[in-house]
């Protein structure tokens, strides 16, 4: 069973991503990871050997560096930091995986550097590079270019779900003598049964056992990943609006309503 509580739309800019990266790692760790990428690009085997874990040094030969160096050129762009904690032989270690994108034109690669940061200075645990067909950052930006009807329909459904929840909330708040008013006010803000859309590919899926606050959301977990837009059905809000339109809301008798009750 999965539950989601997400506000209407979370918009993360490149600046806010960098702020997140700064919280997950220190400037020294970021500098070490970037230096590792630069060292591979320039085939600086000596620096890589000096900064790496002894278990990795045997793998860092000129052939490996040469293969990595030939994959892609360009300035590395940090796209993600993943932090893991593990205990090995009773010793707690912290591993931080820095993922970069680098390349230009038709030649792109994703480069990962894993640092162990529990010691006095960051140590390179592993390096990994994988060629990709295009820039992942560019491919996953929020844009209307080359998007089809499904993306536009999804945004319209999100807007409809959010508007329905907000209208029902305002009307519930303003309805005089409404029984269980605060339950109605809270209930109309939740929508159930989530539908999610991958903005980049247009693929969608359903999550029947889930709920959303205000009926819609949009988020991106990082610049390498697609935007995910979701909406859910505001069942309680729709029920409230139908009961109100048909005059079947549970209203207290006028005699039971305190003076000044909204």
């Amino acid at each position: 069973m999965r539950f989601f509580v997400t506000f209407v739309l979370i918009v993360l800019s490149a600046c806010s991503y960098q702020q997140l990266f700064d919280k997950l790692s220190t400037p020294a760790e970021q500098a070490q990871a970037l230096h590792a990428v630069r060292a591979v690009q320039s085939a600086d085997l000596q620096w890589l050997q000096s900064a790496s874990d002894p278990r990795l040094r045997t793998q860092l030969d000129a052939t490996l560096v040469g293969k990595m160096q030939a994959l892609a050129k360009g300035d590395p762009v940090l796209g993600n930091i993943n932090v893991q904690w593990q205990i090995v032989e009773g010793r707690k270690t912290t591993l931080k995986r820095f993922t970069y994108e680098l390349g230009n034109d038709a030649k792109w690669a994703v480069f990962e550097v894993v640092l162990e940061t529990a010691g006095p200075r960051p140590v390179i645990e592993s390096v990994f590079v994988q060629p990709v067909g295009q820039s992942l950052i560019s491919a996953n930006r929020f844009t209307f270019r080359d998007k089809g009807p499904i993306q536009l329909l999804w945004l319209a459904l999100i807007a409809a779900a959010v508007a329905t929840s907000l209208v029902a909330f305002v009307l519930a708040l303003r309805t005089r003598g409404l029984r269980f008013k605060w339950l109605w006010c809270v209930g109309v803000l939740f929508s159930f049964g989530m539908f999610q859309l991958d903005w980049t590919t247009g693929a969608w899926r359903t999550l029947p056992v889930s709920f959303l606050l205000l009926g819609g959301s949009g988020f991106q977990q990082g610049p390498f990943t697609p935007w995910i837009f979701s909406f859910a059905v505001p069942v309680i809000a729709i029920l409230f609006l139908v009961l109100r339109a048909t005059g079947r809301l549970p209203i207290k008798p006028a005699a039971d309503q305190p003076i000044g009750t909204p």
Side-chain angles (χ1 to χ4, degrees):
M1 181 180 297
R2 300 178 64 182
F3 293 100
F4 296 82
V5 181
T6 311
F7 196 64
V8 183
L9 181 63
I10 304 173
V11 180
L12 296 177
S13 64
C15 177
S16 62
Y17 281 131
Q18 186 57 52
Q19 291 173 354
L20 176 61
F21 297 155
D22 291 341
K23 291 181 180 179
L24 294 175
S25 61
T26 66
E29 293 165 355
Q30 293 185 33
Q32 183 85 333
L34 181 59
H35 199 159
V37 180
R38 298 291 193 190
V40 170
Q41 285 185 300
S42 61
D44 188 352
L45 185 60
Q46 182 177 357
W47 185 89
L48 284 171
Q49 293 279 11
S50 65
S52 299
D53 183 279
R55 293 168 295 181
L56 179 62
R57 293 173 188 171
T58 57
Q59 306 173 30
L60 290 173
D61 54 35
T63 303
L64 175 62
V65 173
K67 289 179 180 179
M68 291 180 176
Q69 184 184 17
L71 283 173
K73 305 294 183 181
D75 293 326
V77 178
L78 180 60
N80 188 44
I81 298 178
N82 179 269
V83 183
Q84 296 178 322
W85 294 270
Q86 61 183 22
I87 298 178
V88 179
E89 298 178 353
R91 175 172 170 265
K92 183 178 179 180
T93 61
T94 302
L95 299 179
K96 296 186 180 182
R97 185 184 305 272
F98 295 76
T99 305
Y100 294 85
E101 177 183 85
L102 59 156
N104 50 48
D105 298 328
K107 207 170 189 179
W108 294 89
V110 173
F111 197 108
E112 291 185 349
V113 180
V114 179
L115 301 180
E116 181 181 334
T117 62
R121 67 182 183 90
V123 177
I124 300 174
E125 276 282 324
S126 66
V127 292
F128 174 77
V129 65
Q130 179 179 355
V132 292
Q134 61 180 325
S135 167
L136 297 181
I137 294 177
S138 297
N140 290 305
R141 283 197 178 105
F142 177 72
T143 175
F144 289 98
R145 184 179 179 181
D146 299 325
K147 297 300 183 282
I150 184 67
Q151 282 91 347
L152 298 179
L153 173 63
W154 223 262
L155 293 183
L157 292 172
I158 290 174
V162 173
T164 301
S165 293
L166 291 177
V167 169
F169 174 77
V170 172
L171 292 176
L173 202 61
R174 294 170 61 91
T175 300
R176 293 176 58 88
L178 178 64
R179 294 183 184 273
F180 313 111
K181 172 175 287 192
W182 292 110
L183 287 178
W184 281 109
C185 288
V186 172
V188 298
L189 295 178
F190 287 89
S191 299
F192 303 89
M194 190 185 304
F195 298 82
Q196 288 189 330
L197 174 77
D198 182 319
W199 185 260
T200 301
T201 65
W204 62 279
R205 63 171 181 166
T206 60
L207 298 171
V209 185
S210 57
F211 66 86
L212 274 175
L213 180 62
L214 292 182
S217 71
F219 66 91
Q220 185 186 36
Q221 294 182 336
F224 290 167
T225 61
W227 278 89
I228 302 297
F229 286 93
S230 307
F231 73 90
V233 182
V235 178
I236 300 177
I238 293 174
L239 175 63
F240 175 84
L241 294 175
V242 170
L243 292 177
R244 186 177 187 275
T246 57
R248 299 172 60 186
L249 280 175
I251 302 295
K252 300 176 184 177
D256 294 340
Q257 299 181 27
I259 298 176
T261 299

